[in-house]
Amino acid sequence: MYNSEKYLNLLELGSVLNLLSNEATITSAKEKAIALRPFSSLDEVKLQLKKTEEAFLLTAKFASPSFYNPVDPSSILTRAEVGASLNMGELLDIANVLKSIRSVKEWKDNCSVNNKTSLDDLFDSLTPNKFLEDKICFAVKSQDEMNDNASSELAAIRRKIRGISSGIKDKLDAIVRSQSKS
């Protein structure tokens, strides 16, 4: 009987997959790289080799597309789907994913105007959303700071806080002046 694990160990597939995993930037991609196993169908092998060759040719001819250190958005999107509020760091992660999607889609559109590839279905499945990307980037300054103008309510609250802070500072200055005169 054929024992594929024996041959995979002999070929040190685990070591090769670890090297591949080290090249991935997203945790889920690292996990998928480690879990790869050879295909059993010759047709599937040929299709995947064709995709690999075409990806190589595209990057050799047009350089690699830009990624913006995206995270795997699965857990964030799952939380959003059930109505959970996202924190500012998660919103920025989603904005980076959206920016990467837009960048990769634009790269593909620019590098093969009339060239069809076996990768087209993958690229066609990407749906950029520049509107949402821009809204998030405008509203969220950093993981710890929201833009004052993210909403009219927030802008009004921040104006009131600045006004109250200014009033308190003026009163403290007056107290310090009156005590220094005494």
Side-chain angles (χ1 to χ4, degrees):
M1 180 170 177
Y2 176 70
N3 181 355
S4 64
E5 286 302 315
K6 175 182 163 184
Y7 294 108
L8 298 180
N9 288 334
L10 183 65
L11 294 172
E12 298 183 9
L13 180 64
S15 298
V16 173
L17 294 178
N18 279 327
L19 291 171
L20 175 64
S21 174
N22 290 337
E23 297 300 317
T25 57
I26 300 173
T27 304
S28 62
K30 289 178 179 289
E31 293 166 358
K32 286 179 181 178
I34 295 291
L36 283 173
R37 291 295 173 259
F39 296 105
S40 57
S41 157
L42 181 59
D43 290 337
E44 186 63 26
V45 170
K46 287 179 180 180
L47 175 64
Q48 296 305 322
L49 284 172
K50 182 177 181 181
K51 286 181 178 181
T52 302
E53 179 183 9
E54 289 175 346
F56 171 76
L57 291 173
L58 284 172
T59 57
K61 188 173 181 180
F62 300 102
S64 295
S66 296
F67 293 93
Y68 298 92
N69 200 20
V71 300
D72 180 354
S74 301
S75 62
I76 299 170
L77 295 174
T78 300
R79 289 185 57 245
E81 284 178 337
V82 297
S85 295
L86 302 181
N87 64 43
M88 292 185 284
E90 291 170 323
L91 289 170
L92 289 173
D93 287 342
I94 294 297
N96 279 337
V97 169
L98 291 169
K99 188 174 185 178
S100 293
I101 289 170
R102 181 175 49 83
S103 173
V104 169
K105 184 78 169 181
E106 289 173 355
W107 173 83
K108 177 59 169 85
D109 291 345
N110 290 332
C111 70
S112 61
V113 177
N114 293 322
N115 299 339
K116 296 289 182 192
T117 71
S118 59
L119 301 167
D120 288 347
D121 287 344
L122 295 172
F123 287 107
D124 291 343
S125 70
L126 297 175
T127 305
N129 189 335
K130 180 98 168 87
F131 175 78
L132 180 58
E133 176 190 337
D134 289 344
K135 292 287 274 186
I136 292 171
C137 291
F138 173 77
V140 182
K141 284 185 170 182
S142 71
Q143 289 189 350
D144 302 318
E145 187 177 3
M146 182 72 75
N147 183 341
D148 286 354
N149 298 314
S151 72
S152 57
E153 295 86 9
L154 180 59
I157 290 169
R158 296 259 170 98
R159 272 194 306 278
K160 288 178 186 176
I161 290 171
R162 282 192 297 274
I164 291 170
S165 295
S166 178
I168 291 171
K169 183 180 180 282
D170 291 344
K171 288 181 183 180
L172 287 174
D173 287 345
I175 290 170
V176 169
R177 280 193 303 272
S178 69
Q179 288 181 350
S180 64
K181 290 181 182 179
S182 319

